[in-house]
Amino acid sequence: MKLILLGPPGAGKGTQAKRLEEKYGIVHLSTGDMLREAIASGSDLGKEVKEIVEKGALVPDAIIIQMIEARIAAPDCSKGFILDGFPRTVAQAEALDVMLTGKRLHIDHVIELAVEDAPLVKRISGRFSCAACGAGYHDEFKRPASEGVCDACGGKAFNRRKDDNPETVKARLEAYHGQTAPILPYYREKGVLVTVDGMADFNAVTAAIEEALG
Ligand code: AMP
């Protein structure tokens, strides 16, 4: 199964993708995670994209397309994958189609997590994650059961994303509405798009996605 999760920053794509990864045994591919890893490693790619990512703008299509094409070709993607944060422009969506068609593959489902802008700044600004296992938390909505200790792995160090601040979130939302939302009609016309209410609680969103996947 090959899926795309679409939605503005903070809509819950990463959380839902992790759940689907476990349930369906398919790989979660987050272009944002790949870029953050490249930045942390100090690679040439990381140096090239650092400033763009930190100000909340979109990385050029050519860089992203090359990165995802290489990733999709890896053996662990043969059973399927969940794309989170890609495609983010119509050009990326078209390039993805060309990539898949060349392998006689196609996207089975595109799930849009619909969330209004207003709650997103609050959702995103309070996010942090375990430095060891990546489990996600929130200052207000989901603190670890024992303060300062990761529920999942017992880790005691946590990270906050540099671009998870109110000013950058505004730029990321503008990029979403201006450059990413135009993808929705592209997939609607193909008959693969299902919209899910991303404001519902996480379990209800998971259930709605699973229903959409049949
Ligand atoms: P995310 O983790 O998906 O919120 O992505 C974090 C940042 O990485 C974005 O704000 C962009 O700067 C960059 N990024 C991630 N995926 C893409 C993409 N498909 N196209 C362009 N830029 C991207």
Side-chain angles (χ1 to χ4, degrees):
M1 180 160 55
K2 283 164 283 306
L3 303 181
I4 296 173
L5 289 185
L6 272 178
K13 302 187 294 297
T15 307
Q16 296 300 334
K18 284 204 174 71
R19 292 181 170 194
L20 297 170
E21 179 176 43
E22 273 171 32
K23 168 146 188 176
Y24 295 98
I26 52 179
V27 196
H28 170 203
L29 301 180
S30 155
T31 43
D33 284 349
M34 291 178 206
L35 294 168
R36 280 184 289 280
E37 276 162 29
I39 293 169
S41 76
S43 66
D44 288 345
L45 169 66
K47 285 182 194 137
E48 199 175 346
V49 302
K50 186 173 190 293
E51 210 179 299
I52 303 174
V53 171
E54 286 176 3
K55 71 177 186 210
L58 292 189
V59 170
D61 288 333
I63 295 178
I64 296 288
I65 290 164
Q66 197 180 18
M67 188 175 85
I68 207 81
E69 188 158 27
R71 186 64 189 86
I72 284 175
D76 63 338
C77 290
S78 62
K79 272 175 71 185
F81 46 76
I82 306 153
L83 291 169
D84 157 14
F86 176 90
R88 249 181 165 97
T89 62
V90 172
Q92 291 180 16
E94 288 170 350
L96 175 65
D97 271 351
V98 172
M99 255 178 245
L100 294 178
T101 308
K103 298 176 199 280
R104 295 173 191 272
L105 300 173
H106 63 272
I107 292 295
D108 300 293
H109 304 278
V110 178
I111 309 288
E112 177 200 8
L113 299 181
V115 181
E116 307 259 312
D117 282 5
L120 290 174
V121 177
K122 200 170 180 192
R123 268 200 193 187
I124 296 178
S125 305
R127 298 199 296 200
F128 59 100
S129 62
C130 172
C133 75
Y137 296 97
H138 192 280
D139 289 327
E140 201 172 318
F141 310 126
K142 192 187 171 205
R143 300 197 69 86
S146 169
E147 197 59 39
V149 182
C150 174
D151 297 345
C153 77
K156 291 192 174 132
F158 295 89
N159 291 328
R160 282 179 197 265
R161 279 172 51 171
K162 246 188 162 161
D163 59 347
D164 276 354
N165 61 75
E167 200 174 300
T168 312
V169 171
K170 253 184 96 187
R172 290 161 64 198
L173 283 171
E174 273 167 27
Y176 181 75
H177 292 299
Q179 292 163 272
T180 306
I183 297 178
L184 294 168
Y186 179 84
Y187 286 117
R188 195 171 291 121
E189 271 164 36
K190 287 179 183 285
V192 290
L193 180 71
V194 174
T195 299
V196 164
D197 175 12
M199 284 307 290
D201 96 18
F202 282 128
N203 292 331
V205 175
T206 307
I209 295 175
E210 288 175 3
E211 194 187 325
L213 303 182

